[in-house]
Amino acid sequence: MSAPAHAAAVHTVDLDSDGWPLEATARGPRPVPADRLLDHFAEELAPPDWATDLLVYVHGWQTRPDSALSAVQRLLALATSQHERRRALYPELTPWRPWTVLVRWPSRSLPSLGGYRRIRDRAHAMSTDGHAARVIGRLLGYLDAHRADPAASGVLANRDGQYLHLVGHSFGCRFLCEAVQWAADAPGATLGWSTPAPPGRPFTVDSMLLLQMAAPRNAFTATFTALAEAPLRGPVVATYSQHDRATGFWHLRAEKRAGIGYAGIGTAPAPVSAITMRGVEEPYPHDVLDHRFVSVDASEVYVRGSGPAGAHSDHLRPESAHLLLSLADHSR
């Protein structure tokens, strides 16, 4: 089954400063009524039968709505090009037809230490005191529940027909980690990885790719403490680059320690596998990525960028697309 012409379209969920989704009305954007949240998802975000993989992308600091859309479109274009040129690297992605949801949130501030702290505090408040984690968690549960039936669609995928991947950048990684932790109770499992399926969960995510995460190196033991037991079947993969000034210079001053996006994952509830980001023609063997936590040194790849953030937003690279495709391939 071939995807329709609009397959590359990105579907958006816009959150207000409290983390609640907005919908377009005649009077402009308004919060979705609480009793209509799942109906809103059904109206706006029904996964199509032709999709093989469902992607949820959350952007980071200093990102305008139009820039967030351009970023995820760029990443998808890079993945499509990489897949078309080097199909042999992804033998299970036959075919690769992603369907993507972009979650946008108010992340703009002055490019300063005060601005960094402001958005850090907003991201934390939206997830813990606000609604963002629960809303995104319910979105993930909705997408999981509505994955296409492989018997009906002909999609070559797992028992639910489609795979679910999370991709975050910067502070967006925090939203995804909080959202996955918010998942509640019902059995679920996916195939692919050797990690045991988490019991008593409503869905499982097949992979989580955290690009230049804006959080302390010990975040997985100090903040996202439930992630090891969360509904996550595949690995948590986090990139870092020592050319990233936002999570190096600014993060060090704001939080008194370097961020994951600068120095990689420090402590975690399970052993952390440390690898180097690979070139677009070099495969990632299954056993290289088949760990609960994988810290990927991208210091030789994410190098471009000037000003206060440095290479913090240099993640839109073919090498990133290669890593995403490798995770999707090994999820089968």
Side-chain angles (χ1 to χ4, degrees):
M1 177 189 299
S2 59
H6 62 276
V10 176
H11 305 266
T12 58
V13 174
D14 289 301
L15 305 181
D16 64 17
S17 58
D18 290 324
W20 192 258
L22 301 169
E23 64 179 344
T25 72
R27 297 183 179 180
R30 293 288 187 273
V32 176
D35 61 355
R36 285 198 61 254
L37 183 60
L38 292 183
D39 289 339
H40 176 71
F41 288 157
E43 293 165 4
E44 303 292 334
L45 301 171
D49 287 351
W50 52 258
T52 58
D53 296 77
L54 311 181
L55 275 62
V56 177
Y57 183 99
V58 187
H59 68 80
W61 184 38
Q62 293 288 60
T63 307
R64 300 187 308 272
D66 58 334
S67 298
L69 180 58
S70 296
V72 74
Q73 289 174 332
R74 175 63 176 156
L75 183 61
L76 290 170
L78 289 168
T80 297
S81 177
Q82 173 73 6
H83 182 256
E84 290 176 348
R85 293 181 180 184
R86 301 177 177 91
R87 291 178 186 267
L89 293 175
Y90 321 105
E92 302 301 323
L93 296 188
T94 52
W96 159 254
R97 293 196 297 257
W99 183 81
T100 306
V101 176
L102 165 64
V103 178
R104 300 189 294 197
W105 57 285
S107 68
R108 298 280 288 163
S109 74
L110 292 174
S112 64
L113 178 58
Y116 187 91
R117 284 175 170 156
R118 177 187 174 196
I119 299 305
R120 175 202 63 188
D121 293 345
R122 175 181 293 171
H124 180 72
M126 287 175 67
S127 292
T128 56
D129 301 325
H131 306 286
R134 282 160 287 187
V135 166
I136 298 174
R138 291 182 71 182
L139 167 63
L140 299 180
Y142 168 82
L143 292 176
D144 178 80
H146 291 80
R147 298 186 197 194
D149 180 352
S153 66
V155 171
L156 299 175
N158 64 7
R159 65 176 181 80
D160 291 311
Q162 295 163 322
Y163 293 84
L164 180 59
H165 310 285
L166 309 184
V167 182
H169 175 236
S170 183
F171 285 117
C173 302
R174 294 194 185 207
F175 286 100
L176 289 175
C177 290
E178 291 284 5
V180 172
Q181 289 192 137
W182 267 96
D185 309 328
T190 56
L191 304 176
W193 305 99
S194 65
T195 307
R201 299 293 182 175
F203 66 91
T204 52
V205 172
D206 295 290
S207 73
M208 179 185 286
L209 177 57
L210 306 175
L211 299 162
Q212 303 307 107
M213 184 173 183
R217 297 193 68 207
N218 66 341
F220 295 113
T221 51
T223 304
F224 309 117
T225 56
L227 201 60
E229 305 300 326
L232 179 62
R233 177 63 165 154
V236 176
V237 178
T239 66
Y240 69 96
S241 168
Q242 297 198 344
H243 301 282
D244 182 342
R245 286 175 57 82
T247 59
F249 180 85
W250 293 113
H251 197 283
L252 183 62
R253 280 148 186 81
E255 305 205 24
K256 310 305 180 185
R257 68 190 71 194
I260 289 174
Y262 174 80
I265 301 173
T267 55
V272 179
S273 176
I275 66 173
T276 300
M277 178 167 273
R278 303 195 171 199
V280 295
E281 296 184 352
E282 185 180 3
Y284 286 94
H286 185 275
D287 59 358
V288 168
L289 295 174
D290 191 17
H291 304 273
R292 171 55 82 196
F293 295 94
V294 182
S295 191
V296 181
D297 185 354
S299 296
E300 294 185 3
V301 179
Y302 300 165
V303 298
R304 299 177 302 189
S306 58
H312 183 60
S313 294
D314 193 26
H315 61 292
L316 301 174
R317 293 293 203 107
E319 292 86 353
S320 304
H322 175 35
L323 181 54
L324 173 61
L325 289 168
S326 300
L327 288 167
D329 182 69
H330 290 318
S331 295
R332 269 65 175 165

